[in-house]
Every structure is written in structure tokens, then in C-alpha cells.
């Protein structure tokens, strides 16, 4: 960022969508907040015809390039020190998307970054959490454009699942709507296609979300129309709230009205009238599936998320407000706190797990990198309780995969998520997609580390840190673990023993757990549970 004396940095973000190109120019304050200086939008229909031909049309590209030139000039006129341009579904999917980017760079000196659907969802999410106070409530965050729809399911600000659905307003219109107004059979085909796509991509939603937060032209158009009906006036619609029932009533009117009539509806931009039916249909069918009774609008969307991302990359005063990449475990602890995890229990489980790992590392040639992965997984193994108890190990996997752990590589994050996912219930299996994606060596490491984590978790079953430490001894036919505790840890011995199945399978040996009373010479050994019973208990 430009740090000129007495001048606040100015940034510009350009979002090149399938239907519309948007610009926002802001001035950034010392605390990282910003003030909007200028906004511009042009409906260039860059993706027109894409879903029939697979290519961007020459006229659409030319309109878009001209718009980009004007927007860059506006940003430069506002003295923006950085102009960041991103493109989404249309440029991402078109066979000549690279051609469009090259022309933009040659003609305007503007480099366009094509972002993935996951990055698109992330930017929309950043905007949502800035605009709304979520207070840990389960919410569905939806961004719909011309080519795709991104869906983030979250508990407050903690992301559980991210989906990308090919349900953009332009795409659906070009694929399914030929009549004006839409005929009954066409509507049934469109509705069936939307429902099948949701079934295939989302399936049974992992959590029930009463509120949907939406960004994109379809949502702002919906809010503008409903606000006009309610209040007889237009204006901003940021955070505007709508009932699913009234959205359904409005949709019936839109579906039955011919294009000329839709263009006259108060609050609806006439340029969007031809694609509004498909866009609202996608939003409404998804709201029905998720059980969202309330729909609220976020006018910021992806371009605001892009600005927030740029600001995060360049601290205004030069002092990082977040831990450095070197502070790996601090990032883990921050994420655990964000998920309201039982910090004392999870840190103690991590301590015990590392004691076991260090005791076995040399004999089993465990990689040094596995130590940090195990520690992180142990600290995060219970974050899934934020979503629910019954499948908290599976929720933990998804939360970690979408969590804020920039100090770890993508591979390391995936390993941490897998180890946490297998801290209880089913053992790792080749039929599990999350496990099957891993390389063979990483699959072996996950089995080792998950086995250790299960035992360590059992050693703090009562969450009282009764077992203060553990020592490992390698014997010919078994691994022996001696526990340190001030009093007989009956429950911990029992739980660790019943959870030992994966550990024994991974290390190909038996596990013996014992406790020797401090200075008393008393030895307590839990009777061995039959192997079949151990396996059954470990899955429960």
C-alpha cells in the first residue's frame, strides 16, 4: 500500500462477473476500516452465450473491456495506489478466458486474477462477517452471480462447509428458459434441475440454518422489489430482511409476468428483468432446502471481501495485528477459541499425545513433521461441538479444512483435519473420500497419529487432568504406558483401553496401560477388554 505522509491509502477492487462488472474505490483508515469514495457498475453480460458455445462472445468481451478501461480511469482519478481485478465463473470456465485476460492487460495494463469457486466463497464470507453480527448462530451465506452460486454454512463466523453450485442466474436462464413468460413445463424442468443440483452438491444439510445472508444482484433486486412493495420507495437495502414466504409470493408474480411487465416492476432494474426469474428460483429452492425462514441482504459481496483481503495483506501501521506465520500453534489456539472449544481439556490431551509421540518416535521412525500435526489436531479435536455433539468428529474435519490456519500448508491442514476426524468412531477407510485423497505415506501417518490421539483423549476422559503425565516403554510384544496421577485414574484407564483399537492396529502391537501410586508401590492395571469389545467401543 502507498504510505505517503498525511495521506490515507486508497484501494480499488474490480469484480468481473458473468453478468456485471463492479468497481469500488475506498480510503483506508489507520484501524483497517475504510470509507467508500466511489462505486460503479456496468452490466456487460460477459457470459452471454457461454453456456451454449463454451466461449466468451466477441461483442461481450469488447463491452467488458471498454467498461474495464473506464473503471480503471475512475480508480486512477481517485488516486488508488492499488487496483486489484478478479474474474469469476465466466472467465474461469470459458475456453477463451485467457484471451480476454491478455487483451485486458495489453489494452489497459490491468492484470486479472481468475479466482476459484472456493476463493469466491471466501471473499463473500469476509464481507458477510464484516456486515453482520452473527453471535455464533448457524447461518447460510450465499453469493449468487450470473454463472454460479457459492454457499457457505457456518456457525457464527466459523465455517463448516463450502459448496459451489452451477446455479447462476444467466446460466439457468440460457439453459432452461425460452418462453415469455416461462411456460409450465419449462418451469418444472428448471425447478427439477435446481433441486437435483442441490441434492447432488449439498445433500442433507449438516446443520439447520434459519437465516440466509445473500449477496449478488439477485438478492439486491429481491430486496429492492419487496422494499418498494412495503414502503413505496427505493434506497439502500443493506441488511434488509425478507420472509421466505413473501419471497415466494413475489416469485409467483415474476414467473407469471411477461418480460415487458417485469421491466415495469418497482425496484427491479429493467436490465435484470430477463434473468430474475431463474435467479430467484435458485435462491428460493435453496432456502426451502435449508429451512431458511429469513433472508437478509448484503450489498458488499465479493468486491468488499477482496478489499478486506487486500487490507489484511498490508497492515496500515506496519504492525501485524495477527500472529506471524512462525507462531504456528498460536494460530491453532486462536481457531480453537473461536470455536469455543474446551481449551484446558484439549491442551492437556495435546500434551499427553506429544508425550506418547516422543516416546514412540525413534522406534517407529515417526516423522518430525508429525509432531506439530498431532499437537494441532489434539488442540482442535473437539471443535466440532460448535455444530453438534453426535458427529462432532466429522464437523471438526470440515471446520479445520475451512479454518484460519495460514501457518500450515494445505497438505498439513488436510492431515490435521483427518487426524481430528478419526479421534473417535470409525477407523480410517479407503472408502472415505477425505482419507482416500491422501498419499499412502500420509494415510499411514494419519493412522499412527489418530491412534495416539484416541488414547490421549481417553486419558482425560473426565476432563479433570487426573493423569498428569505418561511414559512409554517399548517391549517385545507390547507397548507399555505408565501413567502418573495423584489418585487411581480408574475412568481414564478404562476409556483409554477401550479406545486403543486403532492404536494397536496402526502400531501392530498390544497396548498395556498401568498406574503406579506415588511412593506407595501400588500398581493398578485395568483388566484387558476383549479385542472385539474394544473395536466396538471405539466406534461408539
Amino acid at each position: 500500500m502507498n504510505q505517503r505522509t498525511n495521506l490515507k491509502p486508497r484501494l480499488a477492487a474490480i469484480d468481473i462477473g458473468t453478468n456485471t462488472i463492479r468497481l469500488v474505490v475506498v480510503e483506508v483508515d489507520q484501524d483497517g476500516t475504510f470509507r467508500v469514495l466511489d462505486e460503479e457498475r456496468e452490466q456487460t453480460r460477459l457470459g452471454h452465450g457461454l453456456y451454449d458455445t463454451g466461449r466468451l462472445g466477441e461483442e461481450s468481451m469488447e463491452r467488458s473491456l471498454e467498461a474495464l478501461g473506464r473503471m480503471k480511469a475512475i480508480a486512477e482519478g481517485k488516486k488508488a495506489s492499488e487496483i486489484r481485478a478478479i474474474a469469476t465463473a465466466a472467465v474461469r470456465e470459458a475456453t477463451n478466458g485467457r484471451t480476454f485476460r491478455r487483451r485486458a492487460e495489453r489494452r489497459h495494463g490491468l492484470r486479472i486474477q481468475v479466482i476459484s469457486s472456493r476463493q469466491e466463497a471466501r471473499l463473500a464470507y469476509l464481507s458477510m462477517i464484516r456486515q453482520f453480527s452473527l453471535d455464533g448462530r448457524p447461518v447460510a451465506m450465499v453469493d449468487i452471480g450470473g454463472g454460479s452460486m457459492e454457499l457457505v454454512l457456518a456457525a457464527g463466523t466459523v465455517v463448516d462447509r463450502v459448496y459451489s453450485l452451477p446455479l447462476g442466474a444467466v446460466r439457468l436462464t440460457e439453459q432452461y428458459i425460452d418462453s415469455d413468460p416461462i411456460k409450465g413445463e419449462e418451469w418444472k424442468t428448471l425447478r427439477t434441475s435446481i433441486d437435483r443440483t442441490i441434492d447432488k452438491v449439498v445433500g442433507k444439510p449438516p446443520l439447520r440454518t434459519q437465516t440466509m445472508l445473500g449477496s449478488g444482484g439477485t438478492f439486491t433486486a429481491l430486496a429492492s422489489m419487496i422494499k418498494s412493495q412495503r414502503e413505496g420507495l427505493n434506497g439502500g437495502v443493506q441488511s434488509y430482511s425478507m420472509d421466505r414466504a413473501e419471497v415466494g409470493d413475489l416469485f409467483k408474480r415474476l414467473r407469471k409476468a411477461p418480460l415487458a411487465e417485469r421491466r415495469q416492476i418497482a425496484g427491479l432494474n429493467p436490465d435484470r428483468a430477463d434473468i430474475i426469474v431463474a435467479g430467484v428460483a435458485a435462491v428460493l429452492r435453496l432456502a426451502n432446502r435449508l429451512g431458511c425462514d429469513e433472508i437478509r441482504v448484503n450489498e458488499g459481496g465479493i468486491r468488499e471481501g477482496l478489499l478486506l483481503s487486500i487490507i489484511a495483506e498490508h497492515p496500515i501501521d506496519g504492525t501485524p495485528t495477527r500472529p506471524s506465520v512462525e507462531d504456528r500453534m498460536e494460530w491453532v489456539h486462536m481457531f480453537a477459541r473461536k470455536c469455543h472449544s474446551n481449551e484446558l481439556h484439549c491442551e492437556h490431551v495435546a500434551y499427553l499425545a506429544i508425550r506418547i509421540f516422543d516416546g514412540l518416535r525413534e522406534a517407529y521412525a515417526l516423522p518430525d513433521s508429525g509432531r506439530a500435526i498431532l499437537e494441532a489436531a489434539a488442540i482442535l479435536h473437539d471443535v466440532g461441538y460448535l455444530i453438534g455433539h453426535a458427529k462432532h468428529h466429522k464437523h471438526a474435519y470440515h471446520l479445520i479444512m475451512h479454518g484460519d490456519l495460514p501457518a500450515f500448508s494445505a497438505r498439513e491442514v488436510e492431515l490435521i483435519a483427518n487426524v481430528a476426524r478419526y479421534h473417535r468412531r470409525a477407523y480410517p477407510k479407503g472408502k472415505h473420500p477425505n482419507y482416500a485423497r491422501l498419499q499412502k505415506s500420509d494415510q499411514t501417518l494419519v493412522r499412527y497419529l489418530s491412534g495416539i490421539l484416541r488414547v490421549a483423549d481417553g486419558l482425560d476422559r473426565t476432563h479433570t487432568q487426573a493423569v498428569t503425565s505418561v511414559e512409554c516403554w517399548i517391549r517385545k510384544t507390547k507397548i507399555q504406558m505408565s501413567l502418573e496421577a495423584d489418585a487411581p485414574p480408574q475412568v481414564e484407564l478404562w476409556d483409554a483401553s477401550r479406545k486403543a483399537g486403532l492404536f494397536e492396529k496402526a502400531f501392530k502391537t498390544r497396548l498395556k496401560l498401568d498406574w503406579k501410586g506415588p511412593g506407595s508401590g501400588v500398581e493398578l492395571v485395568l483388566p484387558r477388554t476383549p479385542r472385539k469389545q474394544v473395536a466396538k467401543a471405539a466406534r461408539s
Side-chain angles (χ1 to χ4, degrees), residues 3 102 130-131 158 262 282 298 354 358 384 414 427-428 450 488 514:
Q3 298 286 335
R102 285 174 179 167
R130 177 179 183 267
Q131 296 291 347
V158 182
R262 293 200 299 272
N298 176 32
I354 291 303
D358 289 344
E414 192 160 17
Y427 295 172
S450 298
D514 62 50

Side-chain angles (χ1 to χ4, degrees), residues 359-420:
L360 303 177
R361 175 162 45 183
E362 186 175 346
Y364 287 90
L366 299 178
D368 291 344
S369 61
R371 196 176 193 272
I373 291 166
L374 175 60
E375 184 178 2
I379 293 170
L380 299 175
H381 75 280
D382 276 348
V383 295
Y385 279 113
L386 184 68
I387 307 298
H389 171 269
K391 297 180 180 178
H392 72 268
H393 55 300
K394 293 183 179 180
H395 290 303
Y397 170 82
H398 292 286
L399 292 174
I400 294 168
M401 285 294 290
H402 303 305
D404 195 10
L405 298 173
F408 295 86
S409 68
R411 170 184 169 270
E412 289 174 324
V413 170
E414 192 160 17
L415 289 173
I416 293 167
N418 272 277
V419 174

Side-chain angles (χ1 to χ4, degrees), residues 434-503:
N434 56 285
Y435 182 70
R437 281 197 301 269
L438 303 177
Q439 296 180 1
K440 291 295 182 183
S441 59
D442 285 343
Q443 289 181 347
T444 300
L445 181 60
V446 166
R447 297 177 76 84
Y448 278 139
L449 301 185
S450 298
I452 292 173
L453 180 54
R454 288 186 185 219
V455 173
D457 191 33
L459 292 178
D460 195 37
R461 180 63 182 87
T462 59
H463 290 208
T464 59
Q465 295 74 58
V467 174
T468 57
S469 190
V470 58
E471 295 287 340
C472 292
W473 310 93
I474 311 297
R475 307 302 187 192
K476 287 184 178 180
T477 59
K478 64 179 180 289
I479 293 173
Q480 182 174 339
M481 293 185 191
S482 294
L483 314 182
E484 292 183 16
D486 293 334
Q490 295 273 16
V491 175
E492 280 70 23
L493 275 167
W494 165 77
D495 200 49
S497 178
R498 79 185 187 112
K499 291 178 176 176
L502 178 57
F503 179 95

